[in-house]
Amino acid sequence: MTGFVGGALDAATLDACAAELHHEDWYESARRTTGRFGVSVLHHGARDPKGCTVWEDGPRVGAIYGAVTNLDELNLDVHGLFARLFEDPHDLLSELDGSFIVVAVDGEAERVVLASDKLGTRQCFYVDGEPFAFGSEVGALATLLDDPQVDERAISDLLMIGHVWGDKTLVQGVKFLPSGTVLDYRPDAGVDIESYWHHTFEQSADDSYLDDLTEAYRDVIADMADTIDGDIGLWLSGGLDSRSMAGELSRYHDLTTYTYDSNPANGSNLELAAKVSEVLGLENRRVPVDSDALVDSLDASVQLTSGMVGLSTFVNLANVFNIEDMPDVLIEGCGQGGMMGDGIGRAAVEGSKSPEAALYRAKHRIDVDDVRRLLRTEFDPMTTYREEVRKSDQPDLYSTAMDCYYRNYFPRCDFASNPIAESQAGTRVPFSDTGFLRAVTRMPLSHRVGSIPFTNGKIPAGTAYPKVELVRRLDSRLAGIPYERTKVPPARPMWQHAAGFVVGTSVDRIRERLVGDVHTYGGRSTIGDWYRTNRALRERVDDLLDSACERPYFDADEIRRLQREERTGEAEHMSAISGIITGELWVRKYIDREGRDGGEGAVSATEAEDAPQPAD
């Protein structure tokens, strides 16, 4: 699946909005209209036939953007799914598993139903006003606004957190559809949004939950495999998440694994990925990572992520454009590590007096005071955490922090980069499954990643116990291959992983000082090195920083300081710079409407009529 747009739009405006979506020449398309509503879909067609379903029954039309994995268990076909969705969406959606956005339109009743899956693995946005519209890219919807304005709160999130939380987007008037949510629209009543799924975090008293979690993991990989036809590729870093997924998925399909040729910069994961592939009998291919390719893919990547994911977050995934002989479906283990205990560590919870403090401690890219110096707004950056905490109905600090984490970090960061891969191949995320979510959310705080003593929680103890234990339980062969982060195999005791991480990180830092090597944990960033050495990238970044300095919500002097120190290598600021430039690039295209004739606002009827017309 690649993208969709729809709403209470006439045919010309619908086509014009669809023309704004990222497009490749080989995409197939479908358009359905009913009454005064329409839906336009771009999809992979025969390359991934189970990745998109378009449905029509008289005045009712709809689409499943993604795949539902348990229709057979529910004794439902596609027609039955949409019938139940109109009849009682909350009842149906609480039972559905899979990675999807569901769109249903009844032209006769003038009603639209939109729903996200339980984990928010796919993006959907909607216009909070008239004309009512929805879509997979904010840019396609921003064209409907007469006078689009930047949402400075989203800019603040992008800087401090590295992505955007809540239902905000970079433009006022367009909102994100949260995970586990159903939107019901009728012209006379407007938009009604309600959650149908609530996570619970009742901690297991011991490690017995791991039995259910291991079984559920096997089940979700098997269910995901059933939704795939054709060639399958899997990103394999050599780490624990990707190797466990490779091991299970290879039971059902032949796979080709792909590994970045600089992962990390010292190349240590290349050897480990090759070992994992050899044990599983899989072909392993290296994918080139270079700065020239980043320059070429930057605009498309920012468009596909609607500008709301910092460059440092999606830079690796953007290398999907460098894959030769693209498989039909390309999968990664994104999200697995965070759910398995590596996301919010014990120190963030145990060392905080409030959920918002725990969230800030665990999930921020740059210091809040640095953000305050960068921004000239009345919006305090910490407000985002407080707002999300107020939305939660959990009973304690730990559960509230985890609830906010699940509702924001996964859909708005981990999975927000997926559209980049989706633009080139079908994708799947297996974790939006009732059994799996109920098992993994029982993880006790004591099993989340700890920290090295006397470091004030700043240095993690290698990895989380459930990540290691899952590999041990799934495949003893894979448990015998060292883990790049800790330098020891999963089969070894946890104390050895903690020790290995400390020693390995220390060696990497010494290597960087001696020979300028760039490593994963601490030190300079790869993007920063590219900025200093690649003229085309530097000119592009500097151009975006120049225009950002003209924005009323930025402090130009502070941006210039970051730029100067990054360029000379005096300090590392690429986490902040990456958020500035991705947001700025998107704002220039969709709010300033740079490069559009006359810089006009909403799409005109003439422009709409001249737009490419999708075929059924």
Side-chain angles (χ1 to χ4, degrees), residues 39-50:
V39 179
S40 186
V41 177
L42 294 174
H43 58 93
H44 292 298
R47 295 191 184 189
D48 183 22
K50 295 183 178 180

Side-chain angles (χ1 to χ4, degrees), residues 230-551:
D231 299 329
I232 302 176
L234 176 73
W235 287 114
L236 180 65
S237 68
L240 301 188
D241 302 326
S242 60
R243 78 172 66 171
S244 58
M245 185 171 287
E248 285 303 299
L249 190 56
S250 65
R251 298 176 185 272
Y252 307 99
H253 288 280
D254 291 331
L255 307 175
T256 299
T257 63
Y258 296 88
T259 306
Y260 306 128
D261 67 6
S262 178
N263 183 33
N266 61 25
S268 56
N269 267 7
L270 290 171
E271 180 182 352
L272 298 178
K275 287 182 178 179
V276 170
S277 298
E278 182 180 3
V279 164
L280 298 174
L282 306 175
E283 179 185 1
N284 180 239
R285 299 180 184 176
R286 297 185 178 186
V287 178
V289 175
D290 65 80
S291 53
D292 289 332
L294 175 61
V295 175
D296 294 339
S297 64
L298 182 60
D299 285 70
S301 297
V302 170
Q303 175 182 346
L304 287 160
T305 56
S306 295
M308 291 184 289
V309 180
L311 174 60
S312 57
T313 298
F314 69 71
V315 62
N316 280 340
L317 194 56
N319 292 296
V320 68
F321 296 106
N322 301 340
I323 294 179
E324 296 182 0
D325 300 321
M326 180 67 64
D328 298 317
V329 176
L330 185 62
I331 298 170
E332 65 170 338
C334 186
Q336 182 172 324
M339 280 180 269
M340 291 293 177
D342 262 0
I344 295 182
R346 296 202 298 269
V349 176
E350 295 169 344
S352 301
K353 295 182 179 180
S354 66
E356 50 265 45
L359 291 166
Y360 170 75
R361 185 169 181 174
K363 290 298 167 191
H364 74 276
R365 284 296 184 95
I366 63 175
D367 187 86
V368 63
D369 289 331
D370 291 336
V371 181
R372 288 167 178 153
R373 283 190 290 269
L374 270 167
L375 291 176
R376 290 180 172 177
T377 69
E378 296 181 357
F379 178 79
D380 184 76
M382 290 296 295
T383 304
T384 285
Y385 294 124
R386 299 186 190 104
E387 289 175 344
E388 293 307 302
V389 166
R390 284 196 293 268
K391 294 177 185 177
S392 179
D393 58 358
Q394 299 291 333
D396 53 46
L397 189 156
Y398 170 72
S399 299
T400 301
M402 290 306 302
D403 182 45
C404 295
Y405 174 63
Y406 266 74
R407 286 188 290 105
N408 289 279
Y409 185 76
F410 292 118
R412 308 232 58 187
C413 179
D414 271 1
F415 305 135
S417 297
N418 284 358
I420 297 175
E422 288 170 9
S423 73
Q424 302 302 305
T427 63
R428 300 289 190 277
V429 177
F431 308 119
S432 184
D433 175 274
T434 303
F436 179 84
L437 290 172
R438 286 177 173 164
V440 77
T441 53
R442 287 169 50 210
M443 180 187 304
L445 176 60
S446 60
H447 280 192
R448 304 197 70 81
V449 66
S451 57
I452 301 301
F454 310 114
T455 66
N456 195 30
K458 293 182 178 179
I459 300 180
T463 191
Y465 170 66
K467 283 187 63 167
V468 174
E469 182 63 16
L470 181 66
V471 177
R472 293 170 180 166
R473 294 183 179 212
L474 292 176
D475 194 322
S476 60
R477 299 172 301 166
L478 300 181
I481 299 173
Y483 177 28
E484 184 274 329
R485 186 185 293 188
T486 65
K487 316 303 181 187
V488 298
R492 298 285 183 84
M494 288 301 295
W495 70 267
Q496 292 188 20
H497 285 275
F501 177 78
V502 173
V503 172
T505 301
S506 299
V507 169
D508 282 342
R509 285 178 174 171
I510 292 172
R511 181 190 297 118
E512 180 190 356
R513 291 169 184 170
L514 292 177
V515 300
D517 194 11
V518 182
H519 54 79
T520 304
Y521 306 103
R524 298 193 312 254
S525 71
T526 299
I527 308 174
D529 275 1
W530 286 351
Y531 172 69
R532 288 183 288 272
T533 58
N534 185 308
R535 180 176 178 178
L537 179 61
R538 184 170 61 255
E539 290 178 349
R540 190 72 201 282
V541 171
D542 286 347
D543 175 59
L544 291 166
L545 292 176
D546 287 345
S547 61
C549 286
E550 302 298 319
R551 303 292 177 187

Side-chain angles (χ1 to χ4, degrees), residues 121-149:
T121 64
R122 293 177 182 265
Q123 307 284 290
C124 183
F125 308 94
Y126 64 96
V127 175
D128 185 26
E130 296 297 335
F132 173 70
F134 55 86
S136 55
E137 293 179 21
V138 177
L141 302 178
T143 60
L144 298 169
L145 306 179
D146 291 330
D147 184 24
Q149 299 293 318

Side-chain angles (χ1 to χ4, degrees), residues 100-111:
F100 58 81
I101 292 289
V102 178
V103 178
V105 182
D106 188 328
E108 189 173 276
E110 295 200 326
R111 181 187 180 196

